[in-house]
Amino acid sequence: MLIRVDPARPEPLADQIAACVRRAIADGDAPGGTRLPGARELAASLDVSIHTVLAGYQRLRDEGLIELRRGRGATVCAGTPDGRAAVIELARQLVDAARRIDLDENELLELVRVAAR
């Protein structure tokens, strides 16, 4: 799995790391049980802070896509449907688009509710 960041992009580096892993899960390149690179190793290879990597991994853990175990590293959750990662990525893109046109959270949620009907 290839994880890249671009400091010139407006997205925070931790978000870029999380997005790379999400894409790998969605594309089937990182199925359940796949071990992610260690935080120190990845931080060194990307030339970023270990805290940046850990923040990206934390986002993925909060989304239910990976498990973080102290001393054991990060692994993709077994049974994580590939589609979930894709939907999470699309949701992030939707939120970013809504922010660019100054929609607040309630307006965005209402638009999603209408679309889901």
Side-chain angles (χ1 to χ4, degrees):
M1 168 182 4
L2 183 62
I3 298 176
R4 293 186 199 185
V5 295
D6 180 358
R9 289 178 46 197
E11 297 87 11
L13 297 175
D15 290 347
Q16 292 181 45
I17 291 168
C20 286
V21 175
R22 259 190 236 104
R23 269 187 234 108
I25 294 169
D27 293 344
D29 295 334
T34 301
R35 291 186 62 110
L36 299 180
R40 279 190 176 87
E41 171 190 333
L42 185 57
S45 71
L46 297 176
D47 196 27
V48 299
S49 162
I50 189 172
H51 300 291
T52 300
V53 173
L54 291 172
Y57 281 4
Q58 184 68 39
R59 284 180 180 82
L60 296 166
R61 186 192 70 112
D62 293 347
E63 294 168 2
L65 295 175
I66 68 169
E67 292 179 344
L68 286 175
R69 303 253 175 147
R70 189 174 301 267
R72 294 187 189 165
T75 56
V76 176
C77 290
T80 298
D82 300 342
R84 179 179 174 85
V87 169
I88 290 169
E89 182 64 25
L90 288 170
R92 288 197 173 280
Q93 291 173 14
L94 176 63
V95 168
D96 289 344
R99 286 181 178 152
R100 281 193 298 273
I101 62 169
D102 202 31
L103 283 180
D104 67 30
E105 183 177 330
N106 290 330
E107 292 172 305
L108 177 59
L109 290 173
E110 183 57 31
L111 289 173
V112 170
R113 285 187 191 100
V114 168
R117 291 184 199 141

